[in-house]
C-alpha cells in the first residue's frame, strides 16, 4: 500500500503505471511458485504411499491450507491495490492500462487448485475406493467398522483433519 502512495508523491504518470505492472509480474511469479509447491505436496500425498510419517503428512496438509489462506488474501488485495493506483494516475489513458482481474483470477484458481490437491490427497490416502473393491462382498457374513480399509481411512482423516481445522481461515 505504501509503495504506490510514495510513488504517487513523485509522479502520477507512466512510472506509477509501470510500478503496477511490476506488482502484477511479481504476484504472477508468486502464484506460480505457490502452485508448484501445491503440486509437490500433491505428489507426495497422492503417489508416495510409502510415506507414513504423520509429521511429514501433516506438514504437507498444513502447507496446502496455508497456500489457500495466502491465495485468498492475495486475491482480495490485488483489486483494491489496482483501484488505488488507478485513482492516483492523472492520465485517463494510463488508467485504462491498470488491470488486476487476471492476477486476481490467478489467485482464485490457485485456491481451487490447492483445495483440489488437498482433497485428492486425503482421498487417495484413505484408500477407501481400493479397499471396497478388494472385499468379496458375497462372503461377508457380518458388518462392522473393523476392516483394514476403514482403519486406513480413519488414520488418514486423523492425520489430515487437525491441521486443516487449525490452519484454514474461516
Amino acid at each position: 500500500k505504501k509503495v504506490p502512495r510514495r510513488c504517487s508523491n513523485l509522479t502520477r504518470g507512466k512510472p506509477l503505471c509501470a510500478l503496477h505492472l511490476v506488482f502484477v509480474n511479481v504476484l504472477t511469479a508468486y502464484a506460480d511458485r505457490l502452485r508448484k509447491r501445491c503440486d509437490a505436496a500433491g505428489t507426495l500425498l497422492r503417489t508416495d504411499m510409502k510415506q507414513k510419517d504423520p509429521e511429514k503428512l501433516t506438514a504437507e496438509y498444513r502447507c496446502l491450507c496455508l497456500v489457500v489462506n495466502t491465495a485468498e488474501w492475495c486475491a482480495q488485495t490485488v483489486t483494491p491495490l489496482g483501484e488505488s493506483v488507478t485513482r492516483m494516475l492523472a492520465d485517463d489513458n494510463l488508467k485504462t492500462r491498470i488491470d488486476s482481474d487476471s492476477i486476481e483470477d490467478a489467485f482464485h484458481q490457485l485456491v481451487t487448485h490447492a483445495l483440489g490437491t488437498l482433497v485428492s490427497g486425503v482421498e487417495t490416502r484413505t484408500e477407501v475406493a481400493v479397499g471396497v473393491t478388494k472385499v468379496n462382498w458375497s462372503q461377508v457374513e457380518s458388518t462392522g467398522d473393523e476392516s483394514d480399509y476403514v482403519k486406513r481411512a480413519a488414520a488418514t482423516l486423523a492425520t489430515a483433519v487437525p491441521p486443516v481445522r487449525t490452519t484454514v481461515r474461516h
Side-chain angles (χ1 to χ4, degrees), residues 80-164:
L81 179 64
E83 291 168 352
S84 177
V85 170
T86 301
R87 281 192 305 274
M88 292 175 197
L89 287 168
D91 184 352
D92 287 340
N93 290 330
L94 292 176
K95 289 180 180 184
T96 61
R97 294 184 188 176
I98 304 300
D99 179 23
S100 301
D101 292 344
S102 62
I103 190 62
E104 181 182 358
D105 289 345
F107 281 110
H108 284 301
Q109 290 170 2
L110 180 58
V111 169
T112 301
H113 180 69
L115 288 172
T117 302
L118 178 64
V119 169
S120 67
V122 170
E123 181 181 30
T124 300
R125 289 212 158 260
T126 60
E127 298 182 27
V128 171
V130 175
V132 170
T133 58
K134 286 184 178 180
V135 174
N136 184 351
W137 292 101
S138 64
Q139 294 184 357
V140 173
E141 294 182 16
S142 64
T143 59
D145 60 352
E146 298 300 318
S147 65
D148 287 338
Y149 73 90
V150 170
K151 288 177 186 175
R152 268 193 309 277
T156 298
L157 294 173
T159 303
V161 170
V164 172

Side-chain angles (χ1 to χ4, degrees), residues 7-20:
C7 186
S8 72
N9 288 335
L10 301 173
T11 178
R12 293 188 176 264
K14 288 182 181 180
L16 185 58
C17 189
L19 178 65
H20 178 72

